[in-house]
Amino acid sequence: SVSSVNAPRLTDSATFDLICRRLPPNRNLLVACGLEAALDYLEGLAVTASDLEYLASLHRFSKDFLDRLEGLRFQGEVRAVPEGTPVFGNEPILEVTAALPEAQIVETYLLSTIHHQTMAASAAYRLVAAADGLPVVDFGTRHAQGAAAGACTARAAYIAGLAGTSNVAAGCRFGVPVSGTMAHSYIQAHERESDALASFTSTHRGTTLLVDTYDLVGGVQRVIDLAGRQGERFDVAAIRIDSGDLGASARLARRMLDDAGLAAVRIIVSGELDAPAIADLVAGGAPIDGFGVGTALAVSSDAPYLDTAYKLAAYAGRGRMKLSPSKRTWPGRKQIFRESRDGMAVRDVLGSVDESRDGQPLLRPVMANGRRLGEQCSSLESTRAYSAAAIGQLPAHVRGLPPARPSYRVDVSPHLQNAADRLSRRLQDAT
Amino acid sequence: SVSSVNAPRLTDSATFDLICRRLPPNRNLLVACGLEAALDYLEGLAVTASDLEYLASLHRFSKDFLDRLEGLRFQGEVRAVPEGTPVFGNEPILEVTAALPEAQIVETYLLSTIHHQTMAASAAYRLVAAADGLPVVDFGTRHAQGAAAGACTARAAYIAGLAGTSNVAAGCRFGVPVSGTMAHSYIQAHERESDALASFTSTHRGTTLLVDTYDLVGGVQRVIDLAGRQGERFDVAAIRIDSGDLGASARLARRMLDDAGLAAVRIIVSGELDAPAIADLVAGGAPIDGFGVGTALAVSSDAPYLDTAYKLAAYAGRGRMKLSPSKRTWPGRKQIFRESRDGMAVRDVLGSVDESRDGQPLLRPVMANGRRLGEQCSSLESTRAYSAAAIGQLPAHVRGLPPARPSYRVDVSPHLQNAADRLSRRLQDAT
């Protein structure tokens, strides 16, 4: 929103917290993501001549305001938790401190970026937990909010532990491992399914063949027949089943393949899979070697949004907070202290930035004067490894799929609580 | 997916249908959207040198395949229903006919674009229906899958009848009317709420003031006090209530404003609104003049995805179809015939493109040889007007929010049914 920038003299330094107020019922943890994209945006922010022309055409803004916008760059500082960090309700994922107009104008972009990627990484984590060590691949871009959003989802999901993506742009742009998939239409374009399978193996080594375009048993049989005809040349890594009862179909296909001496051919399943469905297949012992997931990841369909907000925490050197029902916030610049015992996290304490407390501080400075700090951004692989380690330090019941009882403990430090109480009294008196 | 392109000699002409197989339970109709973005993509499609470099680095594709990709452009034809058209299950929203590799490589991009924008327009239509003539404004970008997705959502929502958006980029890029909103942080940045309100009115004419940052009654009273102090200069169009029981708060605020002689100040509400909540407020007679909606629009939270697919309908001049359970498709190039009686639509018939039938044909040629047909694209305003008229011709129970019983009737023509039966028998014999 640009409207609040259009005011005289409110240019003192403001601090905003980007938080998720409460976790959705079916999330025991969130996996913070989106920081790299957010920092890219802040470094590149510039109001163009055509932006100004458009805004002037609205006849709503004074010349003085448009003049001030013309030179606008982001010159503030940012603190954030690293991408891949598990976070909980009311914990700042990112904190912006800048002149109020700069801090305000970036609100919507930062929220949409951090919200989207944190939502995707958090949904991905549950798929990974459900698959219990088996690989899960992202097939979701077709249901993302455009192809660019799909690539960002693929990156977030990889950080949270997925094995790869079918989105080639995510491979090219972010280095996410890509995983090809054979299309039903390739089969259908041939007059005979057996011709399609043979033709596909002639150009793809170690490939995955789709077997259920017409009829599962017939499809698997045609793979077995192909192995017989090709002999030594047969180089098929897996078959994919994309419809029907996936557990029963996998058992049937496994038996047929094993009986034909094709025990090395793996079975991949896809088709409307989500975390509970994967957990059921794993618990039922279905002979499945990997999963392809689309919609449950692309739109996080069991929790399609998070209760994120970008809240003023300080202005002109003083703490600020909102008192409206159920939307109360914590004032001032803060720190998250993650306390551990024997290498396992036991609770987080939300405190003031200047407190000295036990526990690992999660918020780190990542930008000053509008420029990234540090040599370069972390590699995707190291971010992914960091995420797995950080999630691995949480209590087992928090890492699991069922609702965590008790949920992971987040306390507020006495120091921060006192500061909030004092400010609340002052606001109630003053307004 | 690029993998199926990597095959010898499958370069005959293919036709694909982009369809939604079944409507979600809480959608009586879909509003087709995304065509303009899809055509932009097809016109601009080009494989760059860095794309090829990346693909080569994967060591999965033959030199011959990469050479063929280098020259790849979309040179096919497209038929589609106009943006804003209400559509139903199994009706092609868009049909692509091109050499198989071209038609195949655009699958994911077309799906994500049409899926996202159709989902957004369809969610928006329900908000418009619920508001029963009152304006609804999009506040959703913060929960969209990135800011670019938010702008596309704002455009789709405007086509389906929303009054505007708070997304300035959607205004600049697409011409969607923008609607400013005052931030809680502006209030909080001031030491006193009364100072913030006075300051905001000094720079914004006919503005909307937020009244519930601290306490609703106090906030409304401060607006009334401001009117008293400013007298003739007082120029506030509305107040906005963003939390709590919106109906009760609106009644209370209305009474206070009316008692103070401020009957002309309107009341806008926002905060976790969706179609049922808006319908309840309208049915309850709450004195509300407009709604701001975020998440319910940005992620279509009551139906966060559609069952869309991109299915081969013909190849090398012959119809194709899939026989797998519950995913059966209709072969050949098709037409949707919308039959009317007394100006009201009574049913659609899905038939073959070459059939001669009564009813308005909905699929129109929009691209040939990879170039848009026609002078230029429709204006956003005319698309919006077309959509309202086309939806207005549907039966009232289909336009309403409760599940339509019966749902809108879509039949398959005897001609198409016969063609499908013949092809099904042939496939079962041949495979």
Side-chain angles (χ1 to χ4, degrees):
Chain A
S1 165
V2 296
S3 61
S4 62
V5 181
N6 190 14
R9 250 168 291 285
L10 271 179
T11 54
D12 279 336
S13 177
T15 294
F16 283 83
D17 292 334
L18 201 163
I19 57 170
C20 176
R21 293 191 192 95
R22 276 169 299 273
L23 271 53
N26 40 12
R27 292 287 180 271
N28 292 337
L29 60 91
L30 300 178
V31 180
C33 204
L35 178 60
E36 289 303 329
L39 296 178
D40 283 347
Y41 164 75
L42 293 174
E43 281 193 336
L45 179 66
V47 179
T48 67
S50 77
D51 293 339
L52 288 172
E53 201 175 306
Y54 166 71
L55 291 174
S57 78
L58 297 175
H59 301 296
R60 284 201 212 165
F61 304 106
S62 63
K63 183 172 180 315
D64 173 59
F65 169 66
L66 294 175
D67 287 349
R68 275 189 289 151
L69 267 190
E70 189 170 3
L72 193 120
R73 297 284 181 281
F74 183 79
Q75 297 175 294
E77 60 182 289
V78 178
R79 295 163 66 232
V81 302
E83 289 195 298
T85 304
V87 293
F88 302 90
N90 278 321
E91 296 187 337
I93 296 171
L94 178 146
E95 177 211 73
V96 169
T97 300
L100 183 65
E102 289 171 35
Q104 183 76 70
I105 210 163
V106 299
E107 169 172 356
T108 303
Y109 196 99
L110 292 181
L111 270 169
S112 67
T113 300
I114 301 284
H115 174 268
H116 167 221
Q117 297 190 32
T118 297
M119 180 182 78
S122 305
Y125 168 68
R126 282 175 70 86
L127 299 168
V128 172
D132 199 26
L134 292 171
V136 181
V137 172
D138 160 40
F139 288 176
T141 298
R142 59 189 51 216
H143 281 165
Q145 293 189 359
C152 294
T153 293
R155 176 183 178 277
Y158 185 65
I159 286 175
L162 252 67
T165 180
S166 63
N167 184 317
V168 179
C172 188
R173 188 165 154 208
F174 301 121
V176 180
V178 296
S179 183
T181 165
M182 184 186 195
H184 287 291
S185 59
Y186 183 91
I187 306 266
Q188 293 170 282
H190 289 78
E191 281 299 303
R192 299 165 65 93
E193 188 177 30
S194 52
D195 297 341
L197 298 175
S199 170
F200 203 72
T201 58
S202 74
T203 49
H204 291 69
R205 287 155 162 246
T207 190
T208 299
L209 296 177
L210 254 176
V211 292
D212 64 341
T213 301
Y214 301 113
D215 154 60
L216 177 78
V217 171
V220 176
Q221 188 57 52
R222 278 181 277 280
V223 172
I224 292 168
D225 295 345
L226 183 68
R229 285 202 305 280
Q230 294 190 335
E232 293 281 303
R233 285 186 298 115
F234 182 77
D235 182 16
V236 169
I239 62 170
R240 177 159 72 97
I241 305 171
D242 187 43
S243 56
D245 178 334
L246 297 173
S249 298
R251 283 194 171 78
L252 180 59
R254 182 76 274 156
R255 204 159 50 235
M256 291 176 70
L257 292 168
D258 289 351
D259 289 351
L262 296 175
V265 174
R266 290 173 289 136
I267 297 177
I268 309 297
V269 300
S270 57
E272 300 175 34
L273 284 172
D274 58 12
I278 291 174
D280 280 353
L281 289 168
V282 169
I288 290 171
D289 302 288
F291 302 91
V293 179
T295 311
L297 178 63
V299 302
S300 181
S301 45
D302 64 334
Y305 60 93
L306 306 175
D307 186 15
T308 45
Y310 183 78
K311 289 297 163 195
L312 187 70
Y315 181 68
R318 300 185 73 165
R320 311 281 163 152
M321 67 195 292
K322 213 173 147 186
L323 304 180
S324 50
S326 82
K327 291 191 174 177
R328 199 179 138 147
T329 53
W330 297 103
R333 300 186 73 172
K334 293 175 284 292
Q335 183 54 276
I336 308 164
F337 300 92
R338 181 153 293 170
E339 296 181 4
S340 297
R341 199 167 302 143
D342 304 326
M344 295 297 287
V346 289
R347 72 161 179 166
D348 290 359
V349 178
L350 187 63
S352 295
V353 68
D354 49 8
E355 279 188 77
S356 169
R357 291 195 65 91
D358 285 344
Q360 185 197 358
L362 298 184
L363 285 162
R364 307 175 189 176
V366 292
M367 179 172 272
N369 301 313
R371 294 288 141 201
R372 270 187 175 82
L373 296 170
E375 295 295 302
Q376 54 187 18
C377 43
S378 312
S379 77
L380 194 60
E381 295 300 332
S382 68
T383 301
R384 187 171 187 259
Y386 160 78
S387 186
I391 295 170
Q393 284 166 8
L394 296 175
H397 77 284
V398 175
R399 282 182 275 129
L401 297 187
R405 301 217 163 80
S407 57
Y408 183 75
R409 188 169 159 192
V410 180
D411 292 330
V412 173
S413 77
H415 183 88
L416 180 56
Q417 184 70 60
N418 287 339
D421 290 345
R422 281 195 306 275
L423 177 58
S424 172
R425 279 194 299 274
R426 186 160 64 81
L427 285 169
Q428 276 157 349
D429 293 347
T431 52
Chain B
S1 165
V2 296
S3 62
S4 61
V5 180
N6 190 15
R9 251 170 291 285
L10 271 179
T11 53
D12 278 338
S13 177
T15 294
F16 283 83
D17 291 334
L18 201 162
I19 57 169
C20 175
R21 293 191 191 96
R22 277 170 297 274
L23 270 51
N26 39 13
R27 292 286 179 273
N28 293 336
L29 59 92
L30 300 179
V31 180
C33 203
L35 178 60
E36 289 302 329
L39 296 177
D40 283 347
Y41 163 75
L42 293 174
E43 280 193 338
L45 179 67
V47 179
T48 67
S50 76
D51 293 340
L52 287 171
E53 202 175 305
Y54 166 71
L55 291 174
S57 78
L58 297 175
H59 301 294
R60 282 200 214 166
F61 305 106
S62 64
K63 182 172 179 316
D64 174 59
F65 169 65
L66 294 175
D67 286 349
R68 274 190 289 150
L69 267 189
E70 190 170 4
L72 193 120
R73 297 284 180 281
F74 183 79
Q75 298 175 293
E77 60 183 288
V78 179
R79 297 164 64 231
V81 303
E83 289 195 297
T85 303
V87 294
F88 302 91
N90 279 320
E91 295 186 337
I93 296 171
L94 177 145
E95 177 210 72
V96 169
T97 300
L100 184 64
E102 289 171 36
Q104 184 76 70
I105 211 165
V106 300
E107 169 172 356
T108 303
Y109 196 99
L110 292 181
L111 270 169
S112 67
T113 300
I114 301 285
H115 174 268
H116 167 221
Q117 297 190 32
T118 297
M119 181 182 77
S122 303
Y125 167 69
R126 282 176 69 85
L127 298 169
V128 171
D132 199 24
L134 292 172
V136 182
V137 173
D138 160 39
F139 288 176
T141 298
R142 59 189 51 215
H143 282 165
Q145 292 188 359
C152 293
T153 293
R155 177 182 178 277
Y158 185 65
I159 286 174
L162 252 66
T165 181
S166 63
N167 185 316
V168 179
C172 188
R173 188 164 155 210
F174 300 122
V176 180
V178 295
S179 184
T181 164
M182 184 186 194
H184 287 291
S185 59
Y186 183 91
I187 305 266
Q188 293 171 282
H190 288 77
E191 282 297 303
R192 301 165 64 93
E193 189 178 29
S194 52
D195 295 343
L197 299 176
S199 170
F200 203 72
T201 58
S202 74
T203 49
H204 291 68
R205 289 157 163 245
T207 191
T208 298
L209 296 177
L210 254 175
V211 292
D212 63 342
T213 301
Y214 301 112
D215 154 60
L216 177 78
V217 171
V220 175
Q221 187 58 50
R222 279 181 276 280
V223 172
I224 292 169
D225 295 345
L226 183 68
R229 285 202 305 280
Q230 293 189 334
E232 292 280 303
R233 285 185 299 113
F234 183 76
D235 182 15
V236 169
I239 61 170
R240 176 159 73 97
I241 304 171
D242 188 42
S243 58
D245 177 334
L246 297 173
S249 297
R251 283 193 171 78
L252 179 58
R254 183 75 273 155
R255 204 160 48 235
M256 289 176 70
L257 292 169
D258 288 352
D259 289 350
L262 297 174
V265 174
R266 288 173 290 135
I267 297 177
I268 309 297
V269 300
S270 58
E272 300 174 34
L273 285 172
D274 59 11
I278 291 174
D280 280 353
L281 289 168
V282 170
I288 290 171
D289 302 288
F291 303 91
V293 179
T295 311
L297 178 64
V299 301
S300 182
S301 45
D302 64 334
Y305 59 93
L306 306 175
D307 186 15
T308 44
Y310 183 79
K311 290 297 163 195
L312 188 70
Y315 181 69
R318 298 186 72 165
R320 310 282 163 152
M321 67 195 292
K322 211 172 147 185
L323 304 179
S324 50
S326 81
K327 292 190 175 177
R328 199 178 138 148
T329 53
W330 296 102
R333 300 186 72 173
K334 293 175 284 292
Q335 184 54 277
I336 308 163
F337 301 92
R338 182 153 293 170
E339 296 181 2
S340 297
R341 200 166 301 140
D342 304 326
M344 295 298 286
V346 290
R347 71 161 180 167
D348 289 359
V349 177
L350 188 62
S352 295
V353 67
D354 49 6
E355 279 188 77
S356 170
R357 290 194 65 90
D358 284 345
Q360 186 197 357
L362 298 185
L363 285 162
R364 308 176 188 175
V366 292
M367 179 173 272
N369 302 313
R371 295 286 140 203
R372 270 189 175 82
L373 296 170
E375 295 294 301
Q376 55 187 19
C377 44
S378 313
S379 76
L380 194 60
E381 295 300 332
S382 69
T383 301
R384 186 171 188 258
Y386 160 77
S387 186
I391 295 170
Q393 282 165 10
L394 296 174
H397 76 285
V398 174
R399 283 182 273 129
L401 297 187
R405 302 218 162 80
S407 57
Y408 184 75
R409 189 169 159 193
V410 180
D411 292 331
V412 173
S413 77
H415 182 87
L416 179 57
Q417 184 70 60
N418 288 338
D421 290 345
R422 280 195 307 276
L423 177 58
S424 171
R425 281 194 298 274
R426 186 160 64 80
L427 285 169
Q428 276 156 351
D429 293 348
T431 53

